[in-house]
Amino acid sequence: MPATLEWFGTATFRVRDAGLNLFFDAYLDRLPGLDPVGLSTKEVGSADYVFVSHSHFDHLYGADALALGAGATVVASPESARCLREAGVPD
């Protein structure tokens, strides 16, 4: 199967290749009143990795859901990792 690249707005992308599901940033779930992007964190069946560029809301938001709900390992800065620990994501 060929590699795929999907864009979900802002800086959130999903790359699927060789059986891996990789997310670059995690801002899939929009706040009430904003248009959806075509995929929510609850709809992600599995994810291998989430690479969070930095801890601003529109990049980090959703990484906890992908880690806890889809089983993703999150690669992030120390500040982002601190926020994720506070949200219940284990080290």
Side-chain angles (χ1 to χ4, degrees):
M1 174 180 232
T4 61
L5 172 66
E6 299 164 277
W7 177 58
F8 296 103
T10 310
T12 302
F13 292 87
R14 176 170 58 182
V15 174
R16 293 192 276 190
D17 189 28
L20 290 174
N21 288 301
L22 312 173
F23 280 87
F24 295 85
D25 289 336
Y27 188 41
L28 294 171
D29 299 327
R30 296 301 198 253
L31 297 174
L34 297 178
D35 291 333
V37 297
L39 182 68
S40 70
T41 56
K42 290 180 182 177
E43 295 172 313
V44 176
S46 68
D48 296 293
Y49 291 93
V50 178
F51 300 93
V52 177
S53 61
H54 60 285
S55 59
H56 287 170
F57 172 83
D58 58 341
H59 300 269
L60 179 62
Y61 186 70
D64 57 337
L66 292 177
L68 296 170
T73 297
V74 181
V75 179
S77 69
E79 176 61 14
S80 295
R82 182 192 65 76
C83 294
L84 291 168
R85 278 193 297 279
E86 287 182 5
V89 177
D91 285 334

